[in-house]
Amino acid sequence: MKLPHHNVAAPQYNETSQLTRFLRVTKVVAGRNLARRFTDAHRHDFSSTVHGCCVIISDSDISNLLKLFMNAEDIKKNSRGLRGRLGEVLSSGVTHFEDEETQLLKFHGSYQQDDRDQRMARRKAGQDKAWQFMVRSKIPGGLLTTAQYLVHDRMASDLGNGTIRLTNRQGIQMHGILFGSLKECIRRINECGLITWGACGDIVRNTVASSIPLRDGVHEEVQALASEVSRTFYARSRGYSEIWLDGEKLPLAPEETADPIFGEAYLPRKFKIGIAVPPRNDIDVLTQDAALIAHVVGGVIEGYNIAVGGSFGMSHGAIKTRPALAQPLFYVKKEHVIDALKAIVMTQRDHGRRDDRKQARLKYLILSRGVDWFRTEVLSRLNAPTEPMKPYRFETVEDLLGWQEQGDGKLFYGMWIPDGRIQDAGGNAPQYRSAVRAVLSKWALPVRITPNTNLQFCDIEPSDRAAIDAILAEHRIPSAASLTRARRVAHACVALPTCGLALAESERVFPEVMDRIDEIVRELKLEEEPLLIRMTGCPNGCARPYNADIAFVGRAPGKYALYVGGSFRGDRLVSLLQKTIELQDIPARVRGLLEEFCAKRSAGEAFSDYWRRTHAGDEPPRAEQFHEEQLRPETSGLPEGLG
């Protein structure tokens, strides 16, 4: 194990620190020279408290010791502008980063992972993990050029696993990047005019916005605002360009200054901002830490409603953790919206919990102290007038798929990408990656990634429509009209084999699950019924399961928690209906729910509204509803034998 670099200031500890307590009781005889190197490097940290006692510790002891005193907050504070030892390790010839560097790496837009399919075999063979990396491009509003997309397409072959994963924050993830290719991958992304800086980590993440390319002024303004928000919240450090670009200054890389927004410790946890244009809630805006909802009058945006505290991460059975939808804060004129966001972020910076990462998101600050208290704190940092929220209404979280008019005489095409995975599968499966490449290689079209992980080709001349249709048909790309409405909007997270947090499969099993659900939906004549179905491999909620009509959340291999009762509009949270359901039992369980719906619905009533009327009601969400079964036996929807 490599010790911390001597030039990095180590954290100071007092008599009651974890480090002191650990040293008082730890006396392991092993590796005298290693212990001496450690004490020489950090003598100022603990020499006064151990009083010369010779503490001999092994490599593993040092690793555990470092984990004790280098928690996430210490790592950020002592990172020298998020540099840490990333550059040094990159040039050292190793295959992966150690604990502190993996935390800092997230700020630079990458997660260290391994191929979990290989873990057991490699462990038995005495081999290390099959280390690899996910690299995430930060793309405000999901807008990119043909050239930028094709750079990612080439990297999928040259550096990655042959696929491109669109994210529901409108970014692109490259999977399967090896350690030796990591710097080259990030360099290529920057050279094409994008960036990975701030795509992950305890910082303001990629700003999502309605991707609909309507030339109506409103949607164009929202896209411009997404870019402005993104620029506003870049961390002020040259560490990114020094490590990945050999110090080259690129337009998107920020200058090194004292950071007036993030300070030296950045944020307690990640922070997400989204911008929606009612009545379409295609970005799931209420799941954001800061939700901007455009107030449009006469075709012009006058200002924004702002709601705060949305977030979906939780832990199974931990009652103190729960999902939440954003709560109304205030309305501001559009000229003050950036200042309002700064005040919101800085309030979370100053008051968000840093002693418990499971309670560090903005939602917990608001749930514990109340939105009125939070509003007062924000207003104390905001020199601009605010008003009560303006009325707004959402109708759906769906994308516009298929052929659509832009409003300027040109067309756009919304291409359904199952779970955002652009790949060429074997056999007679659709060849998504080849199809997208063929279209963009012939027409230099702007491309937009939607928050439902679909792709939009924009600015298409009507005369090119038939030729594009022919390419899509040649590559067996299904039309949106051939899919059930439930299938068009269903989504699963990545999960296995790359996500280190996954407890169960998600993306790899979801297509088969949806195939079987589709059969039921068609049998019950619900093909055009709005049904929002989502799956995740763990309770962290990346696929936004907790506001879906029906959701499956991984608990263990082949086992899921079943949640029901969200909304196709994205404005209501689910309840736990069944703590554990086997993967193979999911279709039968869904059949029971849908048959009950068909038998008891009112005329024209959607599933979301039916469930609210008969099961959920309008009570405020409670933490218990996500951890304890809320099953009503008389309206359970359970097939016989599954109760």
Side-chain angles (χ1 to χ4, degrees):
M1 169 176 175
K2 297 188 184 309
L3 296 173
H5 195 279
H6 289 204
N7 292 333
V8 182
Q12 302 295 311
Y13 286 83
N14 57 34
E15 287 284 333
T16 61
S17 71
Q18 285 181 304
L19 175 63
T20 301
R21 293 196 298 272
F22 184 89
L23 288 171
R24 281 173 176 168
V25 300
T26 303
K27 297 182 180 180
V28 180
V29 179
R32 253 175 225 284
N33 291 335
L34 193 57
R36 187 176 297 112
R37 284 169 55 206
F38 184 82
T39 54
D40 286 345
H42 299 288
R43 187 175 303 281
H44 60 283
D45 294 331
F46 57 83
S47 59
S48 63
T49 63
V50 297
H51 307 299
C53 176
C54 181
V55 180
I56 310 300
I57 49 183
S58 67
D59 278 9
S60 60
D61 293 321
I62 289 178
S63 179
N64 291 331
L65 185 59
L66 289 172
K67 289 177 184 178
L68 278 174
F69 74 83
M70 286 296 283
N71 62 33
E73 293 303 310
D74 293 323
I75 291 169
K76 289 183 287 186
K77 289 179 182 177
N78 292 283
S79 67
R80 299 176 299 121
L82 301 175
R83 292 171 176 86
R85 296 178 60 250
L86 288 172
E88 180 182 339
V89 176
L90 272 173
S91 59
S92 68
V94 299
T95 60
H96 63 284
F97 294 100
E98 297 294 343
D99 293 330
E100 294 87 41
E101 282 70 47
T102 61
Q103 298 303 314
L104 294 178
L105 185 65
K106 296 175 185 179
F107 289 85
H108 297 254
S110 180
Y111 278 77
Q112 180 168 282
Q113 302 175 331
D114 73 287
D115 186 344
R116 293 178 62 182
D117 285 346
Q118 299 186 45
R119 272 189 189 178
M120 186 174 296
R122 293 179 70 89
R123 187 182 299 123
K124 288 180 179 178
Q127 297 175 324
D128 198 0
K129 294 178 180 178
W131 295 106
Q132 57 183 252
F133 296 82
M134 179 274 285
V135 178
R136 183 182 294 159
S137 295
K138 190 175 184 181
I139 309 173
L143 177 61
L144 68 164
T145 65
T146 282
Q148 289 168 337
Y149 176 86
L150 291 177
V151 164
H152 289 81
D153 182 73
R154 286 190 291 272
M155 285 195 298
S157 296
D158 298 347
L159 309 177
N161 67 357
T163 74
I164 296 170
R165 185 44 148 90
L166 309 181
T167 79
N168 58 16
R169 294 204 66 75
Q170 296 178 289
I172 293 177
Q173 289 183 177
M174 307 302 300
H175 287 271
I177 307 297
L178 299 182
F179 186 88
S181 301
L182 185 56
K183 188 171 182 178
E184 172 69 8
C185 180
I186 292 177
R187 182 189 66 78
R188 290 194 197 183
I189 291 169
N190 278 267
E191 285 185 346
C192 79
L194 299 174
I195 201 167
T196 66
W197 183 234
C200 319
D202 297 345
I203 205 144
V204 174
R205 301 286 187 90
N206 192 45
T207 305
V208 297
S210 177
S211 64
I212 302 172
L214 297 179
R215 306 307 186 196
D216 59 0
V218 170
H219 288 82
E220 293 161 310
E221 185 174 331
V222 161
Q223 280 281 324
L225 178 59
S227 295
E228 184 181 359
V229 171
S230 185
R231 291 191 300 271
T232 298
F233 292 105
Y234 277 134
R236 303 301 174 199
S237 170
R238 286 294 302 277
Y240 179 78
S241 59
E242 290 172 7
I243 293 167
W244 306 106
L245 311 173
D246 298 324
E248 180 182 355
K249 177 67 175 70
L250 292 182
L252 292 180
E255 292 289 351
E256 181 102 18
T257 62
D259 202 313
I261 296 175
F262 296 124
E264 65 173 2
Y266 302 91
L267 298 180
R269 286 298 295 266
K270 59 189 171 185
F271 195 99
K272 299 179 178 180
I273 298 173
I275 314 167
V277 181
R280 190 171 295 273
N281 186 19
D282 50 348
I283 74 160
D284 252 338
V285 71
L286 298 179
T287 68
Q288 314 291 321
D289 291 277
L292 306 185
I293 304 164
H295 179 59
V296 182
V297 178
V300 176
I301 297 177
E302 291 191 347
Y304 291 89
N305 288 310
I306 301 182
V308 289
S311 165
F312 274 6
M314 71 171 212
S315 299
H316 285 307
I319 199 73
K320 72 175 185 177
T321 67
R322 52 162 291 183
L325 293 176
Q327 300 183 46
L329 188 66
F330 49 57
Y331 169 86
V332 294
K333 295 288 188 180
K334 64 182 180 182
E335 58 265 29
H336 302 305
V337 70
I338 294 294
D339 288 336
L341 288 174
K342 288 180 181 178
I344 291 166
V345 170
M346 289 190 286
T347 301
Q348 162 67 352
R349 177 201 65 192
D350 295 341
H351 294 285
R353 288 188 62 175
R354 295 179 183 268
D355 61 327
D356 184 351
R357 286 184 66 79
K358 287 188 177 294
Q359 294 284 297
R361 289 293 295 272
L362 175 61
K363 64 181 173 184
Y364 294 115
L365 178 62
I366 292 173
L367 288 170
S368 63
R369 299 201 181 186
V371 72
D372 292 336
W373 172 89
F374 186 79
R375 184 182 298 109
T376 299
E377 288 293 325
V378 171
L379 292 176
S380 72
R381 294 165 172 80
L382 175 62
N383 185 24
T386 64
E387 303 174 34
M389 298 275 282
K390 305 290 186 181
Y392 66 89
R393 176 179 56 87
F394 286 130
E395 295 178 353
T396 181
V397 299
E398 293 172 289
D399 285 338
L400 288 173
L401 297 176
W403 288 102
Q404 309 286 340
E405 294 185 358
Q406 289 185 174
D408 59 356
K410 295 185 178 182
L411 306 173
F412 73 92
Y413 182 82
M415 183 177 181
W416 178 69
I417 308 289
D419 304 315
R421 182 72 66 176
I422 302 179
Q423 62 182 332
D424 289 343
N428 292 320
Q431 305 296 291
Y432 286 98
R433 190 174 160 211
S434 292
V436 175
R437 187 191 312 118
V439 170
L440 295 182
S441 295
K442 187 168 183 179
W443 297 277
L445 303 172
V447 179
R448 298 193 183 195
I449 301 167
T450 80
N452 287 304
T453 69
N454 297 311
L455 205 62
Q456 294 167 335
F457 302 125
C458 308
D459 293 350
I460 301 171
E461 296 290 347
S463 59
D464 293 327
R465 174 172 175 170
I468 291 175
D469 277 338
I471 290 175
L472 299 178
E474 178 187 352
H475 292 86
R476 299 182 292 279
I477 305 302
S479 68
S482 69
L483 305 170
T484 66
R485 196 171 178 185
R487 191 62 170 265
R488 293 197 293 265
V489 75
H491 186 59
C493 72
V494 173
L496 296 169
T498 54
C499 179
L501 300 176
L503 304 174
E505 293 279 4
S506 184
E507 181 187 330
R508 294 197 294 192
V509 301
F510 195 54
E512 183 176 351
V513 170
M514 284 305 302
D515 284 346
R516 296 178 64 187
I517 291 176
D518 265 352
E519 293 174 1
I520 298 165
V521 166
R522 293 183 188 279
E523 178 187 331
L524 298 176
K525 311 298 183 186
L526 299 174
E527 297 96 321
E528 288 303 316
E529 196 65 37
L531 287 169
L532 184 57
I533 302 174
R534 291 169 173 166
M535 173 182 275
T536 61
C538 80
N540 286 292
C542 292
R544 302 193 295 261
Y546 301 118
N547 63 343
D549 286 318
I550 303 171
F552 320 107
V553 177
R555 297 187 65 90
K559 299 179 186 296
Y560 300 81
L562 172 63
Y563 291 89
V564 183
S567 164
F568 202 76
R569 294 175 285 271
D571 57 1
R572 191 171 67 244
L573 292 172
V574 294
S575 294
L576 178 62
L577 195 63
Q578 189 172 340
K579 185 169 289 187
T580 304
I581 184 171
E582 300 281 346
L583 177 64
Q584 65 269 20
D585 293 333
I586 286 175
R589 188 67 163 92
V590 172
R591 174 183 286 278
L593 294 169
L594 295 183
E595 286 180 345
E596 175 197 321
F597 164 61
C598 289
K600 299 181 180 180
R601 68 188 297 194
S602 299
E605 189 175 40
F607 183 89
S608 299
D609 301 321
Y610 162 76
W611 196 267
R612 175 189 176 191
R613 176 175 62 84
T614 60
H615 293 71
D618 293 313
E619 297 179 3
R622 301 170 294 108
E624 292 79 8
Q625 77 187 60
F626 310 107
H627 301 281
E628 300 171 3
E629 290 184 350
Q630 308 293 303
L631 188 64
R632 297 183 182 181
E634 70 277 9
T635 55
S636 69
L638 270 171
E640 186 177 353
L642 289 180

